[in-house]
Amino acid sequence: MTNPLLQDWTTPFELPPFEAIRDEDFAPALDAALDAGRAAYEAIAENPEPPTFANTIEAMELADETLDRVAGVFLNLVGADATPAREALQRDYAPRFSAYYSEITNNRALWQRIKTLWETRDTLNLTAEQARVLMLTHRSFTRAGAALEGAASERLTEVKSRLAVLGTSFMQNLLADERDWFMELDEADLEGLPDFAIAAARAAGEEKGVDGPVVTLSRSIIVPFLQFSPRRDLREIAYKAWTARGANGGETDNREIARETLRLREERAGLLGYDTFADFKLETEMAKHPGAVRDLLMQVWEPAKAQADADAEKLTAMMHADGVNVDLEPWDWRYYSEKRRKAEHDLDEAALKPYLQLDAMIDAAFDCANRLFGLEFSPLDVTLYHADARAWEVTRNGEHLAVFIGDYFARSSKRSGAWCSAMRSQKKLGGETRPIVMNVCNFAKGDPALLSYDDARTLFHEFGHALHQMLSDVTYGSISGTSVARDFVELPSQLYEHWLEVPEVLEKHAKHARTGEPMPKQLLDRLLAAQTYDMGFQTVEYVASALVDLDFHHGPAPSDPMAAQAETLARIGMPHAIGMRHATPHFAHVFAGDGYSSGYYSYMWSEVMDADAFEAFEEAGDPFDAETAKLLETHILSAGGSREADALYTAFRGRMPGVEALLKGRGLDKVA
């Protein structure tokens, strides 16, 4: 039988033929794609003609077309809709992928061609984009160890292979813990929970095959439970299970994986001549060195901690007034914070949520993209990989730009969190290729599905990443879309969140699920006035995680990561009643791959820019100012990694920002 993954796809917009793909198709397709890639790179390396940009760099840009297509399907499905067979394949192919890329960077003839081009670059008459691609190619080979020889080269290959295995195991262990744990609730245990939380718990029970409601470790279910349940004993059980992911002993325990990962990263950096892994990792980011990261984080930590400490005193007083005369614990914070928000801002999440329907918030994100960039979104009647996923064609002035896939609901086959990825990225080399972009979230199902305000912000955040992919307009796939510095990649996503706070957006799209009435102005005003509420808590839990990540990688690898985590938290004075957003055993950003290792600070680095960037629209007097939107698209959203990140931002804004806009946006600028 012909493998559908290796055929020409005659589907609309050349979408993967999901209905024809079986799990058993992946292994032979991946093997064939790897073989095709090896042959392509070998042909480039052994080309008897002298190296040119076209016969070497451009040829390399196209060498992995088959692998990109097949792996684009496989890796997206294993994250969004895992099966045991797919997870087994992921474990099997992680070291194979690593070995494949090591073969490429260890190919001496290929490296010599790249090196020759680099050394003669001033004579090649390259465009600015070509010069950028050559620099990035030379740099990536150098950082991958292409210049190493003998035992050092062999050892680096072994280290990278083992790290790939560890990252895959870490993520699969975390998914298993999240999938396996749930807490059954009696009808009496539903006391105090709003209707949307009860409906989500019942739907989760059905998904788990349980005759009754359950609390799972999905954020969209456990956070409302911690906010609203008056049962302190059950909140404690749920919170401890949530924070124990990856640290439950047995086969899914991630603590030893974290220890070995940190040790191997230290060795990798040393083989490449760097003092620490953080020095290695940050060299290519906007921050450049660990000191700049620590300075930013500590500028934010001090006022955030002061605010959190003051808030903790108020929440403790509320708890004592309830007759609970003990210390405030992490499983108490959200419950009493929700009570305080209702008392101080007259803002009740249960009253707010009916106005934030999932479909309405999708429409709001689309509407903002239309007003800013002229994009149109038309639903597509196509078969996708799961019944929950849906697709739209993205056009502008009748011209096809992208296919956008939204997969919004939590399920046990999906890893936690929210993310944006591309099954196909934009490029012009080899023919115009338009992207297939995915947003994957974990919202609770409902009829209709209702979002918290944080959920709605997440939807806008991921859609900002999607815009970065959809509007990409470069020649070379290696610099397309979100292929930018890690501490720049969150700028478009965090910037897009600001449009959810624009009053006219909510006035138009926030309508009651039952009555269809728009959100009352008084409720809208209270919602917007409370945007910085509990920001001490939110900032502390994030910055603590970022500082632990930095400490892990800026110095000798700790022999006991959990002890090292505790030392960092003690040194910075972590408030007792606030936990890290991501503790080590479930810190997937850092340990499920190298993506955010030494780089979890990136969200805050980008926030410095996104706060300043939205001020550009405010200064123009219109959140949808056409001229400012055009500058944003030209210099950031369409530019990919075609220039250094600071050059792109300066081209948009005229200067680089300071931390002041961030502190103001979080309401921390006046904290004593």
Side-chain angles (χ1 to χ4, degrees):
M1 183 178 292
T2 305
N3 192 317
L5 287 162
L6 297 174
Q7 291 179 300
D8 290 335
W9 295 344
T10 58
T11 50
F13 307 106
E14 297 184 338
L15 283 164
F18 292 109
E19 72 280 1
I21 298 171
R22 304 163 301 159
D23 282 352
E24 51 265 39
D25 293 326
F26 283 116
L30 289 168
D31 287 343
L34 290 169
D35 287 344
R38 286 190 178 95
Y41 281 109
E42 191 63 27
I44 298 167
E46 299 303 322
N47 187 343
E49 297 294 324
T52 66
F53 188 84
N55 71 20
T56 302
I57 304 301
E58 289 189 338
M60 290 171 61
E61 288 276 326
L62 298 173
D64 280 326
E65 282 194 319
T66 303
L67 181 59
D68 289 342
R69 188 168 73 149
V70 176
V73 178
F74 173 68
L75 294 176
N76 276 290
L77 292 196
V78 82
D81 193 30
T83 65
R86 292 170 189 171
E87 290 185 334
L89 280 170
Q90 188 184 28
R91 290 191 296 272
D92 186 24
Y93 275 88
R96 297 195 199 186
F97 288 147
S98 177
Y100 172 76
Y101 292 117
S102 290
E103 287 174 28
I104 295 168
T105 54
N106 291 343
N107 186 313
R108 308 305 296 176
L110 184 62
W111 167 237
Q112 189 57 52
R113 294 179 74 86
I114 296 168
K115 190 177 177 185
T116 297
L117 290 172
W118 177 247
E119 291 171 348
T120 60
R121 60 191 180 278
D122 293 338
T123 69
L124 301 179
N125 196 29
L126 301 178
T127 68
E129 189 175 333
Q130 289 173 332
R132 174 76 172 165
V133 170
L134 174 58
M135 184 279 289
L136 292 172
T137 303
H138 179 265
R139 187 175 74 180
S140 68
F141 267 65
T142 302
R143 288 169 58 81
L148 297 181
E149 298 180 356
S153 177
E154 293 174 6
R155 178 56 185 161
L156 184 61
T157 296
E158 294 171 357
V159 166
K160 288 190 289 186
S161 177
R162 179 59 180 164
L163 284 170
V165 171
L166 293 172
T168 298
S169 297
F170 188 98
M171 191 69 245
Q172 292 192 356
N173 289 346
L174 180 55
L175 179 60
D177 277 5
E178 291 171 344
R179 183 171 51 215
D180 293 346
W181 188 93
F182 59 89
M183 179 173 65
E184 295 186 51
L185 301 176
D186 295 330
E187 292 300 313
D189 298 333
L190 302 177
E191 176 194 353
L193 299 183
D195 290 344
F196 74 82
I198 295 173
R202 293 194 191 282
E206 291 179 13
E207 203 251 350
K208 294 293 185 185
V210 174
D211 185 20
V214 303
V215 174
T216 70
L217 298 182
S218 169
R219 177 175 284 272
S220 61
I221 291 178
I222 195 168
V223 168
F225 185 78
L226 294 171
Q227 284 178 301
F228 293 105
S229 175
R231 287 286 303 275
R232 190 171 190 262
D233 57 333
L234 297 183
R235 295 200 311 266
E236 180 178 0
I237 293 170
Y239 180 85
K240 287 183 174 179
W242 193 30
T243 55
R245 291 169 295 159
N248 290 304
E251 294 182 356
T252 63
D253 197 293
N254 277 332
R255 287 171 288 192
E256 175 56 28
I257 290 176
R259 186 198 66 78
E260 185 179 356
T261 296
L262 293 172
R263 182 182 62 77
L264 290 175
R265 284 177 180 164
E266 179 185 29
E267 183 179 0
R268 177 184 179 183
L271 287 167
L272 293 168
Y274 295 87
D275 292 337
T276 71
F277 184 80
D279 291 302
F280 162 72
K281 190 67 184 294
L282 295 175
E283 180 185 50
T284 60
E285 309 299 338
M286 292 183 74
K288 301 301 182 189
H289 57 84
V293 174
R294 194 176 302 278
D295 287 347
L296 170 67
L297 293 175
M298 293 310 298
Q299 283 184 69
V300 180
W301 172 259
E302 295 300 339
K305 180 179 181 298
Q307 183 64 63
D309 287 341
D311 291 342
E313 291 183 11
K314 294 180 180 179
L315 300 184
T316 300
M318 292 174 66
M319 187 173 71
H320 290 174
D322 278 352
V324 184
N325 294 309
V326 295
D327 290 339
L328 186 74
E329 297 290 348
W331 49 90
D332 298 316
W333 191 291
R334 287 177 175 85
Y335 179 70
Y336 284 100
S337 181
E338 182 63 27
K339 278 190 165 188
R340 181 185 168 204
R341 181 169 73 155
K342 186 174 182 180
E344 293 186 1
H345 294 277
D346 194 18
L347 195 61
D348 181 356
E349 176 125 336
L352 176 65
K353 207 161 185 176
Y355 292 97
L356 301 175
Q357 298 178 67
L358 171 61
D359 287 350
M361 292 300 100
I362 294 172
D363 287 344
F366 289 175
D367 186 32
C368 291
N370 175 261
R371 295 180 65 182
L372 288 163
F373 310 114
L375 304 186
E376 300 281 353
F377 298 82
S378 303
L380 291 174
D381 183 14
V382 293
T383 300
L384 299 172
Y385 59 90
H386 193 278
D388 286 344
R390 39 186 157 159
W392 294 264
E393 182 189 7
V394 187
T395 60
R396 180 160 57 186
N397 299 324
E399 179 186 359
H400 174 78
L401 287 185
V403 171
F404 174 63
I405 297 173
D407 182 358
Y408 295 107
F409 296 126
R411 55 179 175 267
S412 58
S413 63
K414 183 189 290 187
R415 66 178 171 90
S416 62
W419 64 94
C420 176
S421 59
M423 284 197 179
R424 184 174 70 220
S425 295
Q426 181 271 332
K427 64 180 176 65
K428 296 177 183 176
L429 184 68
E432 181 72 37
T433 299
R434 298 310 307 173
I436 300 172
V437 187
M438 292 176 59
N439 274 179
V440 185
C441 300
N442 274 280
F443 304 142
K445 267 191 174 181
D447 186 19
L450 304 178
L451 305 183
S452 68
Y453 193 73
D454 282 345
D455 288 339
R457 185 184 289 114
T458 295
L459 188 150
F460 268 66
H461 178 102
E462 298 306 333
F463 193 74
H465 281 308
L467 287 172
H468 206 176
Q469 297 275 16
M470 295 174 195
L471 293 172
S472 180
D473 186 24
V474 297
T475 300
Y476 301 99
S478 63
I479 57 170
S480 174
T482 56
S483 299
V484 298
R486 181 64 62 179
D487 49 10
F488 190 66
V489 76
E490 297 298 336
L491 168 60
S493 55
Q494 293 178 183
L495 174 59
Y496 206 66
E497 294 177 30
H498 287 272
W499 275 276
L500 183 61
E501 301 171 2
V502 174
E504 63 189 89
V505 173
L506 290 173
E507 288 168 359
K508 179 178 180 180
H509 295 282
K511 297 185 178 180
H512 197 280
R514 182 173 54 82
T515 68
E517 292 296 314
M519 183 184 292
K521 187 176 187 307
Q522 299 92 329
L523 179 57
L524 175 60
D525 290 344
R526 294 197 300 271
L527 170 64
L528 296 177
Q531 286 306 290
T532 60
Y533 175 72
D534 214 20
M535 198 55 73
F537 170 87
Q538 295 178 41
T539 306
V540 160
E541 65 165 4
Y542 165 77
V543 174
S545 294
L547 285 168
V548 167
D549 167 42
L550 185 63
D551 283 356
F552 275 161
H553 297 98
H554 189 216
S559 58
D560 183 349
M562 298 305 293
Q565 171 185 291
E567 290 170 7
T568 294
L569 298 181
R571 187 187 76 249
I572 63 177
M574 183 72 170
H576 170 75
I578 302 179
M580 294 169 62
R581 184 170 299 179
H582 303 290
T584 298
H586 54 263
F587 207 163
H589 282 79
V590 170
F591 291 106
D594 272 355
Y596 283 87
S597 56
S598 293
Y600 191 62
Y601 76 91
S602 299
Y603 291 93
M604 187 145 285
W605 192 276
S606 293
E607 190 176 341
V608 171
M609 290 179 285
D610 83 63
D612 178 71
F614 193 70
E615 283 190 352
F617 287 89
E618 294 176 330
E619 291 165 6
D622 180 1
F624 295 97
D625 179 68
E627 183 177 343
T628 308
K630 182 61 177 176
L631 288 171
L632 177 64
E633 178 178 349
T634 299
H635 296 298
I636 294 178
L637 295 177
S638 72
S642 59
R643 299 171 66 190
E644 288 291 333
D646 54 357
L648 292 174
Y649 190 85
T650 301
F652 163 63
R653 195 68 168 106
R655 55 169 173 73
M656 289 299 291
V659 74
E660 296 77 20
L662 179 150
L663 293 174
K664 179 181 176 183
R666 287 184 171 242
L668 301 174
D669 54 326
K670 296 180 176 63
V671 177

